[in-house]
Structure formats: C-alpha cells, structure tokens
PDB file of all heavy atoms in Angstrom:
ATOM      1  N   VAL R 271      47.124  17.093 -44.045  1.00  0.00           N
ATOM      2  CA  VAL R 271      48.127  16.419 -43.234  1.00  0.00           C
ATOM      3  C   VAL R 271      48.057  14.914 -43.498  1.00  0.00           C
ATOM      4  O   VAL R 271      46.976  14.320 -43.524  1.00  0.00           O
ATOM      5  CB  VAL R 271      47.922  16.749 -41.738  1.00  0.00           C
ATOM      6  CG1 VAL R 271      46.637  16.152 -41.204  1.00  0.00           C
ATOM      7  CG2 VAL R 271      49.107  16.291 -40.911  1.00  0.00           C
ATOM      8  N   PRO R 272      49.190  14.266 -43.760  1.00  0.00           N
ATOM      9  CA  PRO R 272      49.168  12.848 -44.134  1.00  0.00           C
ATOM     10  C   PRO R 272      48.933  11.897 -42.962  1.00  0.00           C
ATOM     11  O   PRO R 272      48.701  10.713 -43.177  1.00  0.00           O
ATOM     12  CB  PRO R 272      50.556  12.624 -44.744  1.00  0.00           C
ATOM     13  CG  PRO R 272      51.408  13.684 -44.146  1.00  0.00           C
ATOM     14  CD  PRO R 272      50.523  14.864 -43.920  1.00  0.00           C
ATOM     15  N   VAL R 273      49.008  12.395 -41.732  1.00  0.00           N
ATOM     16  CA  VAL R 273      48.780  11.573 -40.542  1.00  0.00           C
ATOM     17  C   VAL R 273      47.524  12.084 -39.852  1.00  0.00           C
ATOM     18  O   VAL R 273      47.406  13.284 -39.583  1.00  0.00           O
ATOM     19  CB  VAL R 273      49.984  11.628 -39.584  1.00  0.00           C
ATOM     20  CG1 VAL R 273      49.712  10.802 -38.331  1.00  0.00           C
ATOM     21  CG2 VAL R 273      51.250  11.140 -40.286  1.00  0.00           C
ATOM     22  N   ARG R 274      46.605  11.189 -39.562  1.00  0.00           N
ATOM     23  CA  ARG R 274      45.311  11.593 -39.002  1.00  0.00           C
ATOM     24  C   ARG R 274      45.491  12.415 -37.734  1.00  0.00           C
ATOM     25  O   ARG R 274      46.177  12.005 -36.782  1.00  0.00           O
ATOM     26  CB  ARG R 274      44.461  10.365 -38.707  1.00  0.00           C
ATOM     27  CG  ARG R 274      43.137  10.703 -38.050  1.00  0.00           C
ATOM     28  CD  ARG R 274      42.175   9.526 -38.055  1.00  0.00           C
ATOM     29  NE  ARG R 274      41.021   9.784 -37.210  1.00  0.00           N
ATOM     30  CZ  ARG R 274      40.022  10.595 -37.509  1.00  0.00           C
ATOM     31  NH1 ARG R 274      40.034  11.246 -38.673  1.00  0.00           N
ATOM     32  NH2 ARG R 274      39.012  10.771 -36.693  1.00  0.00           N
ATOM     33  N   THR R 275      44.871  13.587 -37.708  1.00  0.00           N
ATOM     34  CA  THR R 275      44.929  14.498 -36.568  1.00  0.00           C
ATOM     35  C   THR R 275      43.508  14.899 -36.187  1.00  0.00           C
ATOM     36  O   THR R 275      42.723  15.312 -37.042  1.00  0.00           O
ATOM     37  CB  THR R 275      45.741  15.760 -36.920  1.00  0.00           C
ATOM     38  OG1 THR R 275      47.067  15.382 -37.323  1.00  0.00           O
ATOM     39  CG2 THR R 275      45.831  16.691 -35.720  1.00  0.00           C
ATOM     40  N   GLU R 276      43.185  14.781 -34.908  1.00  0.00           N
ATOM     41  CA  GLU R 276      41.876  15.182 -34.407  1.00  0.00           C
ATOM     42  C   GLU R 276      42.024  16.458 -33.586  1.00  0.00           C
ATOM     43  O   GLU R 276      43.038  16.656 -32.909  1.00  0.00           O
ATOM     44  CB  GLU R 276      41.270  14.068 -33.557  1.00  0.00           C
ATOM     45  CG  GLU R 276      41.012  12.803 -34.359  1.00  0.00           C
ATOM     46  CD  GLU R 276      40.602  11.642 -33.479  1.00  0.00           C
ATOM     47  OE1 GLU R 276      39.408  11.541 -33.154  1.00  0.00           O
ATOM     48  OE2 GLU R 276      41.480  10.850 -33.106  1.00  0.00           O
ATOM     49  N   VAL R 277      40.999  17.309 -33.633  1.00  0.00           N
ATOM     50  CA  VAL R 277      41.104  18.645 -33.060  1.00  0.00           C
ATOM     51  C   VAL R 277      39.878  18.948 -32.204  1.00  0.00           C
ATOM     52  O   VAL R 277      38.748  18.623 -32.577  1.00  0.00           O
ATOM     53  CB  VAL R 277      41.242  19.708 -34.174  1.00  0.00           C
ATOM     54  CG1 VAL R 277      41.261  21.112 -33.578  1.00  0.00           C
ATOM     55  CG2 VAL R 277      42.497  19.459 -34.999  1.00  0.00           C
ATOM     56  N   VAL R 278      40.123  19.568 -31.046  1.00  0.00           N
ATOM     57  CA  VAL R 278      39.065  20.190 -30.254  1.00  0.00           C
ATOM     58  C   VAL R 278      39.324  21.689 -30.267  1.00  0.00           C
ATOM     59  O   VAL R 278      40.359  22.155 -29.779  1.00  0.00           O
ATOM     60  CB  VAL R 278      39.048  19.675 -28.800  1.00  0.00           C
ATOM     61  CG1 VAL R 278      37.967  20.412 -27.998  1.00  0.00           C
ATOM     62  CG2 VAL R 278      38.801  18.181 -28.759  1.00  0.00           C
ATOM     63  N   LEU R 279      38.416  22.453 -30.854  1.00  0.00           N
ATOM     64  CA  LEU R 279      38.575  23.895 -30.960  1.00  0.00           C
ATOM     65  C   LEU R 279      38.144  24.601 -29.674  1.00  0.00           C
ATOM     66  O   LEU R 279      37.397  24.050 -28.862  1.00  0.00           O
ATOM     67  CB  LEU R 279      37.746  24.434 -32.123  1.00  0.00           C
ATOM     68  CG  LEU R 279      38.114  23.924 -33.519  1.00  0.00           C
ATOM     69  CD1 LEU R 279      37.096  24.405 -34.525  1.00  0.00           C
ATOM     70  CD2 LEU R 279      39.506  24.365 -33.914  1.00  0.00           C
ATOM     71  N   ARG R 280      38.613  25.820 -29.512  1.00  0.00           N
ATOM     72  CA  ARG R 280      38.223  26.617 -28.356  1.00  0.00           C
ATOM     73  C   ARG R 280      36.707  26.818 -28.323  1.00  0.00           C
ATOM     74  O   ARG R 280      36.092  26.864 -27.251  1.00  0.00           O
ATOM     75  CB  ARG R 280      38.941  27.966 -28.373  1.00  0.00           C
ATOM     76  CG  ARG R 280      38.670  28.802 -27.124  1.00  0.00           C
ATOM     77  CD  ARG R 280      39.586  30.002 -27.011  1.00  0.00           C
ATOM     78  NE  ARG R 280      39.318  31.024 -28.001  1.00  0.00           N
ATOM     79  CZ  ARG R 280      40.088  31.282 -29.053  1.00  0.00           C
ATOM     80  NH1 ARG R 280      41.192  30.578 -29.247  1.00  0.00           N
ATOM     81  NH2 ARG R 280      39.787  32.234 -29.908  1.00  0.00           N
ATOM     82  N   GLU R 281      36.083  26.926 -29.504  1.00  0.00           N
ATOM     83  CA  GLU R 281      34.633  27.085 -29.555  1.00  0.00           C
ATOM     84  C   GLU R 281      33.917  25.862 -28.972  1.00  0.00           C
ATOM     85  O   GLU R 281      32.879  25.987 -28.313  1.00  0.00           O
ATOM     86  CB  GLU R 281      34.182  27.320 -31.003  1.00  0.00           C
ATOM     87  CG  GLU R 281      34.570  28.671 -31.570  1.00  0.00           C
ATOM     88  CD  GLU R 281      36.028  28.731 -32.016  1.00  0.00           C
ATOM     89  OE1 GLU R 281      36.669  27.658 -32.124  1.00  0.00           O
ATOM     90  OE2 GLU R 281      36.535  29.842 -32.251  1.00  0.00           O
ATOM     91  N   ASP R 282      34.467  24.669 -29.229  1.00  0.00           N
ATOM     92  CA  ASP R 282      33.893  23.463 -28.635  1.00  0.00           C
ATOM     93  C   ASP R 282      33.989  23.509 -27.115  1.00  0.00           C
ATOM     94  O   ASP R 282      33.053  23.143 -26.400  1.00  0.00           O
ATOM     95  CB  ASP R 282      34.628  22.214 -29.139  1.00  0.00           C
ATOM     96  CG  ASP R 282      34.459  21.995 -30.621  1.00  0.00           C
ATOM     97  OD1 ASP R 282      33.317  21.931 -31.081  1.00  0.00           O
ATOM     98  OD2 ASP R 282      35.485  21.892 -31.320  1.00  0.00           O
ATOM     99  N   MET R 283      35.151  23.938 -26.631  1.00  0.00           N
ATOM    100  CA  MET R 283      35.358  23.986 -25.186  1.00  0.00           C
ATOM    101  C   MET R 283      34.457  25.028 -24.535  1.00  0.00           C
ATOM    102  O   MET R 283      33.896  24.800 -23.463  1.00  0.00           O
ATOM    103  CB  MET R 283      36.839  24.261 -24.884  1.00  0.00           C
ATOM    104  CG  MET R 283      37.755  23.117 -25.301  1.00  0.00           C
ATOM    105  SD  MET R 283      39.486  23.372 -24.829  1.00  0.00           S
ATOM    106  CE  MET R 283      40.063  24.380 -26.186  1.00  0.00           C
ATOM    107  N   ASN R 284      34.314  26.188 -25.175  1.00  0.00           N
ATOM    108  CA  ASN R 284      33.453  27.238 -24.614  1.00  0.00           C
ATOM    109  C   ASN R 284      32.013  26.760 -24.482  1.00  0.00           C
ATOM    110  O   ASN R 284      31.303  27.104 -23.528  1.00  0.00           O
ATOM    111  CB  ASN R 284      33.492  28.483 -25.501  1.00  0.00           C
ATOM    112  CG  ASN R 284      34.813  29.218 -25.405  1.00  0.00           C
ATOM    113  OD1 ASN R 284      35.577  29.024 -24.469  1.00  0.00           O
ATOM    114  ND2 ASN R 284      35.087  30.059 -26.388  1.00  0.00           N
ATOM    115  N   LEU R 285      31.576  25.965 -25.425  1.00  0.00           N
ATOM    116  CA  LEU R 285      30.186  25.529 -25.444  1.00  0.00           C
ATOM    117  C   LEU R 285      29.846  24.691 -24.219  1.00  0.00           C
ATOM    118  O   LEU R 285      28.779  24.830 -23.623  1.00  0.00           O
ATOM    119  CB  LEU R 285      29.914  24.734 -26.721  1.00  0.00           C
ATOM    120  CG  LEU R 285      28.482  24.264 -26.953  1.00  0.00           C
ATOM    121  CD1 LEU R 285      27.551  25.442 -27.147  1.00  0.00           C
ATOM    122  CD2 LEU R 285      28.429  23.333 -28.161  1.00  0.00           C
ATOM    123  N   ARG R 286      30.778  23.809 -23.777  1.00  0.00           N
ATOM    124  CA  ARG R 286      30.487  22.881 -22.690  1.00  0.00           C
ATOM    125  C   ARG R 286      31.124  23.300 -21.368  1.00  0.00           C
ATOM    126  O   ARG R 286      31.032  22.598 -20.385  1.00  0.00           O
ATOM    127  CB  ARG R 286      30.925  21.475 -23.085  1.00  0.00           C
ATOM    128  CG  ARG R 286      30.218  21.002 -24.343  1.00  0.00           C
ATOM    129  CD  ARG R 286      30.519  19.581 -24.692  1.00  0.00           C
ATOM    130  NE  ARG R 286      29.938  18.650 -23.740  1.00  0.00           N
ATOM    131  CZ  ARG R 286      29.544  17.423 -24.058  1.00  0.00           C
ATOM    132  NH1 ARG R 286      29.627  17.010 -25.299  1.00  0.00           N
ATOM    133  NH2 ARG R 286      29.067  16.617 -23.136  1.00  0.00           N
ATOM    134  N   VAL R 287      31.811  24.427 -21.341  1.00  0.00           N
ATOM    135  CA  VAL R 287      32.353  25.038 -20.134  1.00  0.00           C
ATOM    136  C   VAL R 287      33.189  24.047 -19.309  1.00  0.00           C
ATOM    137  O   VAL R 287      32.953  23.848 -18.120  1.00  0.00           O
ATOM    138  CB  VAL R 287      31.237  25.642 -19.242  1.00  0.00           C
ATOM    139  CG1 VAL R 287      31.847  26.641 -18.260  1.00  0.00           C
ATOM    140  CG2 VAL R 287      30.168  26.317 -20.064  1.00  0.00           C
ATOM    141  N   PRO R 288      34.203  23.400 -19.907  1.00  0.00           N
ATOM    142  CA  PRO R 288      35.092  22.578 -19.084  1.00  0.00           C
ATOM    143  C   PRO R 288      36.013  23.480 -18.259  1.00  0.00           C
ATOM    144  O   PRO R 288      36.495  24.510 -18.736  1.00  0.00           O
ATOM    145  CB  PRO R 288      35.886  21.776 -20.116  1.00  0.00           C
ATOM    146  CG  PRO R 288      35.906  22.649 -21.326  1.00  0.00           C
ATOM    147  CD  PRO R 288      34.600  23.393 -21.315  1.00  0.00           C
ATOM    148  N   LEU R 289      36.270  23.090 -17.017  1.00  0.00           N
ATOM    149  CA  LEU R 289      37.130  23.901 -16.161  1.00  0.00           C
ATOM    150  C   LEU R 289      38.598  23.717 -16.485  1.00  0.00           C
ATOM    151  O   LEU R 289      39.413  24.604 -16.240  1.00  0.00           O
ATOM    152  CB  LEU R 289      36.893  23.548 -14.688  1.00  0.00           C
ATOM    153  CG  LEU R 289      35.484  23.789 -14.144  1.00  0.00           C
ATOM    154  CD1 LEU R 289      35.453  23.475 -12.652  1.00  0.00           C
ATOM    155  CD2 LEU R 289      35.038  25.208 -14.403  1.00  0.00           C
ATOM    156  N   ASN R 290      38.965  22.548 -17.021  1.00  0.00           N
ATOM    157  CA  ASN R 290      40.373  22.248 -17.212  1.00  0.00           C
ATOM    158  C   ASN R 290      40.552  21.275 -18.364  1.00  0.00           C
ATOM    159  O   ASN R 290      39.579  20.792 -18.970  1.00  0.00           O
ATOM    160  CB  ASN R 290      40.982  21.684 -15.914  1.00  0.00           C
ATOM    161  CG  ASN R 290      40.186  20.507 -15.375  1.00  0.00           C
ATOM    162  OD1 ASN R 290      39.983  19.509 -16.058  1.00  0.00           O
ATOM    163  ND2 ASN R 290      39.697  20.635 -14.148  1.00  0.00           N
ATOM    164  N   PHE R 291      41.806  20.973 -18.636  1.00  0.00           N
ATOM    165  CA  PHE R 291      42.153  20.102 -19.759  1.00  0.00           C
ATOM    166  C   PHE R 291      41.501  18.729 -19.655  1.00  0.00           C
ATOM    167  O   PHE R 291      41.037  18.169 -20.646  1.00  0.00           O
ATOM    168  CB  PHE R 291      43.676  19.973 -19.824  1.00  0.00           C
ATOM    169  CG  PHE R 291      44.150  18.768 -20.587  1.00  0.00           C
ATOM    170  CD1 PHE R 291      44.064  18.721 -21.963  1.00  0.00           C
ATOM    171  CD2 PHE R 291      44.686  17.670 -19.915  1.00  0.00           C
ATOM    172  CE1 PHE R 291      44.492  17.608 -22.666  1.00  0.00           C
ATOM    173  CE2 PHE R 291      45.118  16.562 -20.599  1.00  0.00           C
ATOM    174  CZ  PHE R 291      45.020  16.528 -21.982  1.00  0.00           C
ATOM    175  N   SER R 292      41.451  18.140 -18.447  1.00  0.00           N
ATOM    176  CA  SER R 292      40.937  16.778 -18.302  1.00  0.00           C
ATOM    177  C   SER R 292      39.476  16.680 -18.712  1.00  0.00           C
ATOM    178  O   SER R 292      39.021  15.621 -19.156  1.00  0.00           O
ATOM    179  CB  SER R 292      41.119  16.292 -16.858  1.00  0.00           C
ATOM    180  OG  SER R 292      40.227  16.937 -15.981  1.00  0.00           O
ATOM    181  N   GLN R 293      38.714  17.755 -18.568  1.00  0.00           N
ATOM    182  CA  GLN R 293      37.315  17.753 -18.988  1.00  0.00           C
ATOM    183  C   GLN R 293      37.177  18.066 -20.474  1.00  0.00           C
ATOM    184  O   GLN R 293      36.278  17.554 -21.142  1.00  0.00           O
ATOM    185  CB  GLN R 293      36.524  18.755 -18.153  1.00  0.00           C
ATOM    186  CG  GLN R 293      36.466  18.415 -16.672  1.00  0.00           C
ATOM    187  CD  GLN R 293      35.758  19.476 -15.841  1.00  0.00           C
ATOM    188  OE1 GLN R 293      35.170  20.413 -16.373  1.00  0.00           O
ATOM    189  NE2 GLN R 293      35.820  19.346 -14.527  1.00  0.00           N
ATOM    190  N   ALA R 294      38.079  18.874 -21.006  1.00  0.00           N
ATOM    191  CA  ALA R 294      37.985  19.267 -22.420  1.00  0.00           C
ATOM    192  C   ALA R 294      38.339  18.120 -23.356  1.00  0.00           C
ATOM    193  O   ALA R 294      37.722  17.954 -24.411  1.00  0.00           O
ATOM    194  CB  ALA R 294      38.895  20.463 -22.686  1.00  0.00           C
ATOM    195  N   VAL R 295      39.327  17.303 -22.989  1.00  0.00           N
ATOM    196  CA  VAL R 295      39.818  16.275 -23.910  1.00  0.00           C
ATOM    197  C   VAL R 295      38.799  15.160 -24.097  1.00  0.00           C
ATOM    198  O   VAL R 295      38.848  14.422 -25.088  1.00  0.00           O
ATOM    199  CB  VAL R 295      41.172  15.719 -23.400  1.00  0.00           C
ATOM    200  CG1 VAL R 295      40.971  14.790 -22.213  1.00  0.00           C
ATOM    201  CG2 VAL R 295      41.934  15.024 -24.519  1.00  0.00           C
ATOM    202  N   GLU R 296      37.839  15.021 -23.183  1.00  0.00           N
ATOM    203  CA  GLU R 296      36.842  13.965 -23.298  1.00  0.00           C
ATOM    204  C   GLU R 296      35.835  14.217 -24.411  1.00  0.00           C
ATOM    205  O   GLU R 296      34.971  13.381 -24.669  1.00  0.00           O
ATOM    206  CB  GLU R 296      36.106  13.795 -21.969  1.00  0.00           C
ATOM    207  CG  GLU R 296      36.962  13.211 -20.865  1.00  0.00           C
ATOM    208  CD  GLU R 296      36.155  12.861 -19.623  1.00  0.00           C
ATOM    209  OE1 GLU R 296      35.710  13.789 -18.937  1.00  0.00           O
ATOM    210  OE2 GLU R 296      35.974  11.667 -19.360  1.00  0.00           O
ATOM    211  N   LEU R 297      35.940  15.371 -25.088  1.00  0.00           N
ATOM    212  CA  LEU R 297      35.048  15.647 -26.210  1.00  0.00           C
ATOM    213  C   LEU R 297      35.378  14.797 -27.428  1.00  0.00           C
ATOM    214  O   LEU R 297      34.600  14.739 -28.377  1.00  0.00           O
ATOM    215  CB  LEU R 297      35.125  17.128 -26.589  1.00  0.00           C
ATOM    216  CG  LEU R 297      34.641  18.124 -25.528  1.00  0.00           C
ATOM    217  CD1 LEU R 297      34.942  19.549 -25.959  1.00  0.00           C
ATOM    218  CD2 LEU R 297      33.170  17.951 -25.242  1.00  0.00           C
ATOM    219  N   LEU R 298      36.545  14.125 -27.434  1.00  0.00           N
ATOM    220  CA  LEU R 298      36.981  13.353 -28.591  1.00  0.00           C
ATOM    221  C   LEU R 298      36.642  11.880 -28.438  1.00  0.00           C
ATOM    222  O   LEU R 298      36.800  11.290 -27.366  1.00  0.00           O
ATOM    223  CB  LEU R 298      38.488  13.502 -28.794  1.00  0.00           C
ATOM    224  CG  LEU R 298      38.969  14.821 -29.381  1.00  0.00           C
ATOM    225  CD1 LEU R 298      40.483  14.874 -29.384  1.00  0.00           C
ATOM    226  CD2 LEU R 298      38.434  15.018 -30.799  1.00  0.00           C
ATOM    227  N   ASN R 299      36.242  11.273 -29.544  1.00  0.00           N
ATOM    228  CA  ASN R 299      35.969   9.848 -29.577  1.00  0.00           C
ATOM    229  C   ASN R 299      37.263   9.064 -29.339  1.00  0.00           C
ATOM    230  O   ASN R 299      38.331   9.409 -29.849  1.00  0.00           O
ATOM    231  CB  ASN R 299      35.379   9.483 -30.942  1.00  0.00           C
ATOM    232  CG  ASN R 299      35.016   8.025 -31.037  1.00  0.00           C
ATOM    233  OD1 ASN R 299      34.637   7.391 -30.060  1.00  0.00           O
ATOM    234  ND2 ASN R 299      35.124   7.474 -32.241  1.00  0.00           N
ATOM    235  N   GLY R 300      37.180   7.998 -28.551  1.00  0.00           N
ATOM    236  CA  GLY R 300      38.343   7.160 -28.296  1.00  0.00           C
ATOM    237  C   GLY R 300      39.299   7.708 -27.265  1.00  0.00           C
ATOM    238  O   GLY R 300      40.340   7.096 -27.004  1.00  0.00           O
ATOM    239  N   VAL R 301      38.986   8.867 -26.678  1.00  0.00           N
ATOM    240  CA  VAL R 301      39.814   9.458 -25.623  1.00  0.00           C
ATOM    241  C   VAL R 301      39.017   9.388 -24.331  1.00  0.00           C
ATOM    242  O   VAL R 301      37.871   9.835 -24.278  1.00  0.00           O
ATOM    243  CB  VAL R 301      40.184  10.914 -25.942  1.00  0.00           C
ATOM    244  CG1 VAL R 301      41.031  11.512 -24.828  1.00  0.00           C
ATOM    245  CG2 VAL R 301      40.934  10.987 -27.267  1.00  0.00           C
ATOM    246  N   ARG R 302      39.609   8.828 -23.282  1.00  0.00           N
ATOM    247  CA  ARG R 302      38.905   8.609 -22.033  1.00  0.00           C
ATOM    248  C   ARG R 302      39.737   9.062 -20.871  1.00  0.00           C
ATOM    249  O   ARG R 302      40.946   8.831 -20.824  1.00  0.00           O
ATOM    250  CB  ARG R 302      38.634   7.101 -21.875  1.00  0.00           C
ATOM    251  CG  ARG R 302      37.276   6.804 -21.353  1.00  0.00           C
ATOM    252  CD  ARG R 302      37.031   5.307 -21.244  1.00  0.00           C
ATOM    253  NE  ARG R 302      36.600   5.050 -19.892  1.00  0.00           N
ATOM    254  CZ  ARG R 302      37.374   4.546 -18.956  1.00  0.00           C
ATOM    255  NH1 ARG R 302      38.598   4.211 -19.217  1.00  0.00           N
ATOM    256  NH2 ARG R 302      36.901   4.381 -17.761  1.00  0.00           N
ATOM    257  N   VAL R 303      39.105   9.750 -19.906  1.00  0.00           N
ATOM    258  CA  VAL R 303      39.779  10.141 -18.668  1.00  0.00           C
ATOM    259  C   VAL R 303      39.253   9.242 -17.555  1.00  0.00           C
ATOM    260  O   VAL R 303      38.046   9.202 -17.300  1.00  0.00           O
ATOM    261  CB  VAL R 303      39.545  11.623 -18.333  1.00  0.00           C
ATOM    262  CG1 VAL R 303      40.258  11.986 -17.035  1.00  0.00           C
ATOM    263  CG2 VAL R 303      40.048  12.513 -19.474  1.00  0.00           C
ATOM    264  N   GLU R 304      40.162   8.517 -16.916  1.00  0.00           N
ATOM    265  CA  GLU R 304      39.805   7.545 -15.878  1.00  0.00           C
ATOM    266  C   GLU R 304      40.316   8.010 -14.530  1.00  0.00           C
ATOM    267  O   GLU R 304      41.477   8.422 -14.407  1.00  0.00           O
ATOM    268  CB  GLU R 304      40.419   6.181 -16.215  1.00  0.00           C
ATOM    269  CG  GLU R 304      40.193   5.096 -15.176  1.00  0.00           C
ATOM    270  CD  GLU R 304      38.742   4.668 -15.076  1.00  0.00           C
ATOM    271  OE1 GLU R 304      38.219   4.112 -16.061  1.00  0.00           O
ATOM    272  OE2 GLU R 304      38.138   4.904 -14.013  1.00  0.00           O
ATOM    273  N   SER R 305      39.454   7.961 -13.517  1.00  0.00           N
ATOM    274  CA  SER R 305      39.874   8.249 -12.146  1.00  0.00           C
ATOM    275  C   SER R 305      40.536   7.015 -11.562  1.00  0.00           C
ATOM    276  O   SER R 305      40.087   5.887 -11.786  1.00  0.00           O
ATOM    277  CB  SER R 305      38.675   8.655 -11.290  1.00  0.00           C
ATOM    278  OG  SER R 305      39.082   8.916  -9.968  1.00  0.00           O
ATOM    279  N   ASN R 306      41.616   7.215 -10.807  1.00  0.00           N
ATOM    280  CA  ASN R 306      42.379   6.091 -10.278  1.00  0.00           C
ATOM    281  C   ASN R 306      42.460   6.062  -8.763  1.00  0.00           C
ATOM    282  O   ASN R 306      43.165   5.217  -8.213  1.00  0.00           O
ATOM    283  CB  ASN R 306      43.799   6.091 -10.856  1.00  0.00           C
ATOM    284  CG  ASN R 306      43.817   5.662 -12.308  1.00  0.00           C
ATOM    285  OD1 ASN R 306      43.024   4.834 -12.728  1.00  0.00           O
ATOM    286  ND2 ASN R 306      44.699   6.250 -13.086  1.00  0.00           N
ATOM    287  N   CYS R 307      41.776   6.966  -8.067  1.00  0.00           N
ATOM    288  CA  CYS R 307      41.883   6.972  -6.614  1.00  0.00           C
ATOM    289  C   CYS R 307      40.621   7.573  -6.002  1.00  0.00           C
ATOM    290  O   CYS R 307      40.245   8.697  -6.336  1.00  0.00           O
ATOM    291  CB  CYS R 307      43.116   7.749  -6.151  1.00  0.00           C
ATOM    292  SG  CYS R 307      43.333   7.764  -4.365  1.00  0.00           S
TER     293      CYS R 307
END
C-alpha cells in the first residue's frame, strides 16, 4: 500500500483483553485516548 497504514489484529486485542474499541486502539504508537470529564 503506497500510504502508510497501521494495523491492530484481533490476536493483539485477544492478548490484552480490551473490553471495547477505546481500550484496543491504545495499542498503537501515536494514538492516545484522553478522558475529558
């Protein structure tokens, strides 16, 4: 693919048992989930 694409596989998610998307996406460098309230 000519445009950089980063991937989190289901195997990665299974390993760390995230309950939802907000916990799974934090496995990537440069991606941050911030609480606002």
Side-chain angles (χ1 to χ4, degrees):
V271 67
V273 178
R274 177 167 169 74
T275 302
E276 297 172 84
V277 176
V278 177
L279 298 173
R280 185 169 70 253
E281 290 79 13
D282 295 305
M283 293 185 276
N284 288 342
L285 183 65
R286 301 186 69 150
V287 198
L289 299 184
N290 53 57
F291 160 73
S292 72
Q293 296 176 8
V295 75
E296 291 189 289
L297 296 173
L298 285 174
N299 182 32
V301 179
R302 222 179 127 258
V303 180
E304 177 68 65
S305 179
N306 287 326
C307 181

